[in-house]
Amino acid sequence: MSRYINFLDLGAQPLANNYLKKRELYKKEIKYRLKVGIDLNNKLVSINKPLSSKMMFNNSYPYRSSMSKTMIHSFKNLAKIIKKRFKPRIILEIGSNDGSFIKNFSKKKTIGIEPCSNVEKITKRKGYDTYPDYWNKKTAKKILSKKGKVDLIYSANTISHIEDLDEVFKSINILLKDDGVIILEDPSLLECLKRNTYDQFYNEHIYVFSLIGIENVLKKHNLKVFNVQNLKIHGGSNRYFIRKKSHLTKINSSVKMNRDKEIKYGLNKLSCYNSFAGRVKKSKKKLKDLFNWIKSKKKTVIGYGVTAKSTTILNYCKIGKNYISYFVDTTLDKQNKFTPGTKIPIYKYRNINNKNIDFIFLGAWNFKDEIFKKEKKFVKEGGRFITHTPYPKII
Ligand code: JHZ
Ligand code: SAH
């Protein structure tokens, strides 16, 4: 029997990555009620009514991994580790997006699975073997018949986007060699709660995983985590190294350490999530107060990096054009469009000019180090940033 309990209500939300064209501004947007809950049986935290994959991931998907140097470096470093430690002959990536990870390997060694054909094409054009498919048993069997079993399966920021986790791991078990390795990487629930980053919840993030949640899912598929790496990426992510139970040799001490850390924080108890929900409500009020104060001083705010996460913040806190004049972003498919729900214009990123801008709201707060490095001049000339994490403040 499921023991799923809602603990957070983030209100009516549009599709997080559905940037609006000018002609769509007066059309009714699809909205859904974003609630978050926990299944107390397996400790999986998820949004309560996931939308279909086809609705979210199709041939007009705008997200490109390559838009941040931080991601490019992270993928490059991981590729080095993989080559050195696991020496795989064939690697499969689930959710390969624009090829930012697989481009670190030779073309003969990789297979990419990416259902958004507009993005998949980018990698295919570079000569990589990619498939415009969703990851499931049918896809796994197709690859098996064409290529045989693979040595390593990598997936970053993707498994958390797929509702049926049993199907994910059954499909992995079809294609992975018995002594193969799985590496998964997703935002950490512990960091999300610690940093009050409630914006990790939106329609695409069906789950925000903890190690204890992941372990409960893997158990059913005879898979086991043998190492956990804590990463700074996306405001704190975990990289899980997994093997088939039958071929497990050693379990790194990081697994127990992370499990203990999560249990000590209370991730196995509902009370921990209820206090998080309380902090989120306070965060909303504080952010709104901050924006109102800035407005009363007649200062100008723009947004920097329009993210799926910022869709949640802006719609939950009801921050629209009256508070943020426009966003800038380097992603071609987001430019000259408008933010979902709040309809704030999005422009191509150009050098920031202090003359007309007093504050920058960090939509891409997860890349703040990269952005601060780029915008030294703005700060030197008196410009300031606004963030909502760990609590709303001016930096
Ligand atoms: P970023 C997306 O989330 C959606 P989002 C998805 N669900 C997910 O899990 C993660 O990605 C992986 C821009 N930018 O990565 C680029 C600049 O303009 O936080 C991006 O549009 N200038 C699949 O949307 C955005 O910010 C810069 O200097 O929350 C960052 O988006 C930098 C560094 C970024 O993902
Ligand atoms: N791995 C990249 C991209 C993350 S974006 C990175 O970490 O930056 C998530 C990607 O997963 C999207 O490109 C999306 O199309 C893909 N995706 C979503 N559902 C999927 C599914 N069921 N099977 C395979 N890929 C999926």
Side-chain angles (χ1 to χ4, degrees):
M1 201 181 64
S2 162
R3 290 166 67 212
Y4 183 87
I5 298 182
N6 281 317
F7 58 83
L8 181 63
D9 185 347
L10 292 165
Q13 293 278 348
L15 302 191
N17 260 316
N18 188 29
Y19 304 101
L20 306 167
K21 294 188 187 109
K22 201 166 179 185
R23 64 179 149 83
E24 290 168 331
L25 277 179
Y26 303 100
K27 268 201 205 156
K28 206 168 175 243
E29 272 179 87
I30 297 170
K31 295 234 170 133
Y32 71 104
R33 185 75 177 261
L34 177 56
K35 287 188 186 173
V36 186
I38 177 162
D39 182 332
L40 289 170
N41 287 336
N42 59 16
K43 311 294 182 286
L44 279 178
V45 165
S46 63
I47 62 170
N48 80 342
K49 278 199 190 115
L51 305 173
S52 75
S53 294
K54 280 199 182 108
M55 216 168 148
M56 306 188 276
F57 307 109
N58 45 48
N59 59 8
S60 55
Y61 192 62
Y63 182 75
R64 306 283 181 275
S65 311
S66 61
M67 287 300 115
S68 115
K69 285 198 181 116
T70 315
M71 284 316 288
I72 292 175
H73 284 154
S74 173
F75 287 142
K76 198 170 172 185
N77 286 339
L78 176 63
K80 267 190 211 151
I81 297 174
I82 289 177
K83 284 177 198 167
K84 205 169 147 198
R85 210 189 301 164
F86 303 112
K87 303 181 180 62
R89 216 175 42 82
I90 294 221
I91 302 171
L92 175 106
E93 187 186 11
I94 307 171
S96 48
N97 198 268
D98 62 2
S100 294
F101 170 71
I102 57 177
K103 77 169 204 286
N104 294 296
F105 295 89
S106 86
K107 293 181 178 123
K108 288 177 292 195
K109 282 196 156 204
T110 59
I111 304 163
I113 307 294
E114 173 48 59
C116 301
S117 55
N118 60 327
V119 191
E120 183 261 349
K121 265 186 212 145
I122 302 174
T123 325
K124 186 166 257 158
R125 267 194 227 117
K126 289 179 194 149
Y128 284 89
D129 192 14
T130 55
Y131 297 82
D133 294 319
Y134 296 97
W135 178 248
N136 50 33
K137 289 201 289 274
K138 193 173 157 213
T139 305
K141 283 177 189 160
K142 180 163 108 182
I143 307 289
L144 181 68
S145 70
K146 283 186 173 226
K147 301 270 181 176
K149 293 203 173 192
V150 304
D151 306 278
L152 194 138
I153 296 183
Y154 175 60
S155 188
N157 305 300
T158 300
I159 302 305
S160 52
H161 298 54
I162 309 178
E163 185 179 356
D164 190 346
L165 295 175
D166 286 331
E167 175 84 8
V168 166
F169 292 106
K170 274 182 197 161
S171 315
I172 284 180
N173 271 335
I174 290 174
L175 198 61
L176 187 70
K177 283 188 185 159
D178 284 345
D179 59 352
V181 173
I182 308 162
I183 306 177
L184 304 182
E185 190 175 314
D186 278 289
S188 142
L189 181 64
L190 180 64
E191 294 306 321
C192 165
L193 264 57
K194 277 188 179 169
R195 296 167 199 233
N196 302 317
T197 49
Y198 60 87
D199 52 326
Q200 288 288 10
F201 296 105
Y202 52 88
N203 58 307
E204 292 178 19
H205 277 180
I206 295 175
Y207 301 96
V208 176
F209 292 127
S210 57
L211 167 65
I212 56 174
I214 286 270
E215 286 190 309
N216 282 329
V217 179
L218 294 178
K219 238 191 266 172
K220 290 188 267 176
H221 302 279
N222 292 318
L223 296 167
K224 224 167 159 37
V225 178
F226 66 91
N227 194 359
V228 183
Q229 229 184 320
N230 305 122
L231 310 174
K232 275 178 143 185
I233 287 282
H234 291 309
S237 296
N238 284 339
R239 186 178 280 156
Y240 306 100
F241 294 77
I242 300 160
R243 274 189 195 277
K244 294 192 176 176
K245 235 185 202 164
S246 55
H247 283 70
L248 199 67
T249 43
K250 218 166 77 191
I251 297 183
N252 189 280
S253 56
S254 59
V255 179
K256 183 175 183 315
M257 201 191 75
N258 275 279
R259 201 186 293 130
D260 290 350
K261 203 165 58 171
E262 291 185 350
I263 289 171
K264 191 165 171 218
Y265 189 81
L267 292 193
N268 54 342
K269 292 193 208 116
L270 184 62
S271 55
C272 171
Y273 299 94
N274 286 332
S275 10
F276 168 64
R279 294 197 300 280
V280 173
K281 276 190 197 145
K282 283 192 192 135
S283 174
K284 171 182 181 171
K285 182 175 179 314
K286 214 166 166 189
L287 188 65
K288 206 63 196 269
D289 287 349
L290 183 60
F291 269 99
N292 278 324
W293 176 79
I294 291 172
K295 204 173 168 193
S296 73
K297 301 276 174 215
K298 301 204 167 13
K299 301 285 186 197
T300 306
V301 185
I302 69 154
Y304 196 119
V306 57
T307 59
K309 298 184 287 294
S310 58
T311 298
T312 295
I313 304 177
L314 300 178
N315 286 281
Y316 176 57
C317 301
K318 300 198 168 37
I319 294 168
K321 282 187 293 235
N322 43 345
Y323 292 100
I324 298 178
S325 308
Y326 58 89
F327 267 87
V328 290
D329 199 289
T330 50
T331 316
L332 194 67
D333 282 359
K334 296 184 184 178
Q335 294 161 5
N336 302 319
K337 293 189 180 160
F338 296 82
T339 58
T342 45
K343 302 178 177 170
I344 304 170
I346 307 165
Y347 300 130
K348 181 178 174 176
Y349 170 80
R350 286 199 184 80
N351 286 343
I352 301 291
N353 180 351
N354 287 69
K355 243 206 272 168
N356 315 313
I357 305 162
D358 303 297
F359 293 97
I360 291 178
F361 172 67
L362 283 168
W365 54 266
N366 44 318
F367 297 126
K368 95 173 176 313
D369 294 346
E370 184 177 337
I371 294 171
F372 286 179
K373 232 187 245 169
K374 231 161 60 184
E375 306 305 338
K376 276 191 189 135
K377 185 169 161 279
F378 172 72
V379 177
K380 209 169 156 198
E381 293 178 5
R384 292 292 175 260
F385 288 91
I386 303 169
T387 183
H388 79 302
T389 168
Y391 49 84
K393 62 177 176 184
I394 292 171
I395 318 178

